Amino acid sequence: MLEKAIDFSHSLLKKTVVPGDIVIDATVGKGNDSLLLASLVGPSGKVIGFDIQEQAIKQTKEKFLLTGLSERLELHQTSHEHAHTFIPENKAIGGVIYNLGYLPGGDKSITTTYQSTLTSIKHLLPLLRVGSLMVLVVYSGHPNGLKEKEMLLNYVSGLNQTDYTVLSYQFINQQNHPPFVIAIEKRKKKHPI
Ligand SMILES: C[S@@+](CC[C@H](N)C(=O)[O-])C[C@H]1O[C@@H](n2cnc3c(N)ncnc32)[C@H](O)[C@@H]1O
């Protein structure tokens, strides 16, 4: 059976994130993606999460207290444009997830925008460990969404295939802008002999 976009994004991360990894949740929201990542990185790993809204940070902290996984999570109430500055020096990251759009149950006028999303992607891509993934769940049904989708697809389809493999996973016969997934894999560089 075909997985929904969000389930597919999680399946990809389950295959690639390993215990001990440092991973990024670029849009924490209600903390569901952070929770999945925390279960994958194990006690020696770390999830570093970003959201611009206090409500998202608060909800996620509370969610983690209930699970006992708080020690694996570091939250920052700031834009994901700054995420790269929170990665320890010389450390590669084992995965990144963006779940774009607005906070479910929150203020629908506060959404991700293509400007900050692209800036952040450009900073984080070079930090990915070889074989790991940046996964984006893209919602184009809100006012900023269509432009964000267009700008993202334009950028990722131009990434050099020697460095990155880029996948788009989408349902093409559904109405009302169903979410879709973009996954970017960091490839191993072939060394010249
Ligand atoms: C669809 S929600 C995320 C859902 C979430 N990952 C979950 O598991 O529940 C999108 C979130 O992105 C946040 N956001 C918007 N612009 C942002 C930015 N520049 N940096 C970080 N987060 C941002 C919003 O505040 C919102 O909470």
Side-chain angles (χ1 to χ4, degrees), residues 25-33 50-53 56 78-81 99-104 110-112 116:
D25 184 350
T27 52
V28 164
K30 295 177 119 177
N32 297 317
D33 299 323
F50 299 87
D51 205 293
I52 50 174
Q53 296 193 68
T78 186
S79 171
H80 43 224
E81 288 156 283
N99 204 317
L100 302 174
Y102 55 80
L103 178 64
I110 305 174
T111 69
T112 51
S116 63

